[in-house]
Amino acid sequence: MPQPDHIVRVALPAAEDYPEDVAAYFAKCDEKLGMRPNVLLAYTGRPEKFRTFTRFYNQLMLSDDCALSKLEREMVAVVVSSANRCYYCLVAHGQAVRALSGDLQLGEMMVMNYRVAELSPRHRAMLDFAWKLTTAPHDVAEADRQGLREVGFADNDIFDLCDVAAFFNYTNRMAHGLDMMPNPDYHAMDR
């Protein structure tokens, strides 16, 4: 049974109505990805928010100016999304974990229960922290940050970890609120 075929449950503009820079961004998506991620399409009705979202996402998840590797950032994205039961992000970022790790099972473990994965102490601490920051943020204390330091996280690393976890808590809520569906293409990628 296929997933529902809508992108979101709010009206979106037609592609011919996109501002020039937004249309150019999607042309790059078509070229590099072979698709237009639905999360980006969801922002087309608010072009300035589209610009802000894409700039922030690209800086956070794709730049080299982060203490976490791209795989680690994607692992955090999936674990946060698992805690929040965000279908869109579990599908899309679960695929990214598969692609970046080359491990078909790791993506599934991150989606379903990261605790079953045989992880390094660094990754276990990182994901435990992201889970706690998502499910019980008011309980995060200095002992939690110190636990990260004990497995090699510097304070800038902790900042980056919080930044990624916080971003996906935000995007998960947008996806839930708009009933956002992932691109069907993600389901078959890197399997």
Side-chain angles (χ1 to χ4, degrees):
M1 169 187 286
Q3 70 185 18
D5 63 359
H6 66 271
I7 295 171
V8 290
R9 299 285 187 170
V10 295
L12 298 174
E16 58 269 13
D17 295 329
Y18 295 165
E20 189 175 312
D21 63 317
V22 173
Y25 195 96
F26 281 120
K28 286 183 187 176
C29 289
D30 293 341
E31 177 187 327
K32 291 183 177 188
L33 304 174
M35 67 175 168
R36 296 175 177 199
N38 285 351
V39 67
L40 300 181
L41 291 170
Y43 279 85
T44 56
R46 302 296 296 263
E48 192 54 39
K49 290 185 183 220
F50 175 92
R51 294 175 190 106
T52 299
F53 180 86
T54 56
R55 277 192 306 268
F56 189 52
Y57 177 87
N58 290 339
Q59 192 280 325
L60 183 70
M61 296 300 287
L62 303 176
S63 80
D64 293 327
D65 184 29
C66 183
L68 306 178
S69 71
K70 289 178 183 171
L71 174 58
E72 288 171 330
R73 287 176 259 179
E74 291 292 349
M75 290 168 69
V76 169
V78 176
V79 167
V80 167
S81 300
S82 179
N84 289 324
R85 299 179 190 160
C86 179
Y87 177 62
Y88 184 98
C89 288
L90 288 171
V91 172
H93 296 281
Q95 179 274 320
V97 169
R98 291 191 305 272
L100 290 168
S101 70
D103 184 336
L104 301 182
Q105 294 180 20
L106 182 62
E108 299 302 315
M109 287 184 276
M110 294 297 105
V111 165
M112 299 302 292
N113 180 0
Y114 74 94
R115 292 175 186 92
V116 302
E118 291 183 18
L119 300 170
S120 68
R122 173 186 167 87
H123 287 161
R124 175 75 57 199
M126 174 185 77
L127 297 177
D128 286 345
F129 184 88
W131 184 272
K132 186 173 185 179
L133 186 59
T134 299
T135 62
H138 53 280
D139 290 335
V140 173
E142 183 56 28
D144 299 298
R145 289 179 288 277
Q146 187 56 37
L148 290 169
R149 290 181 188 107
E150 289 170 6
V151 294
F153 281 82
D155 285 350
N156 282 342
D157 305 341
I158 295 168
F159 179 94
D160 289 345
L161 173 55
C162 291
D163 204 17
V164 173
F167 179 80
F168 281 94
N169 274 289
Y170 161 72
T171 61
N172 290 173
R173 275 135 185 90
M174 288 296 291
H176 280 295
L178 297 172
D179 193 25
M180 190 182 301
M181 289 293 123
N183 298 65
D185 310 67
Y186 288 125
H187 293 286
M189 296 169 107
D190 303 296
R191 297 251 182 215

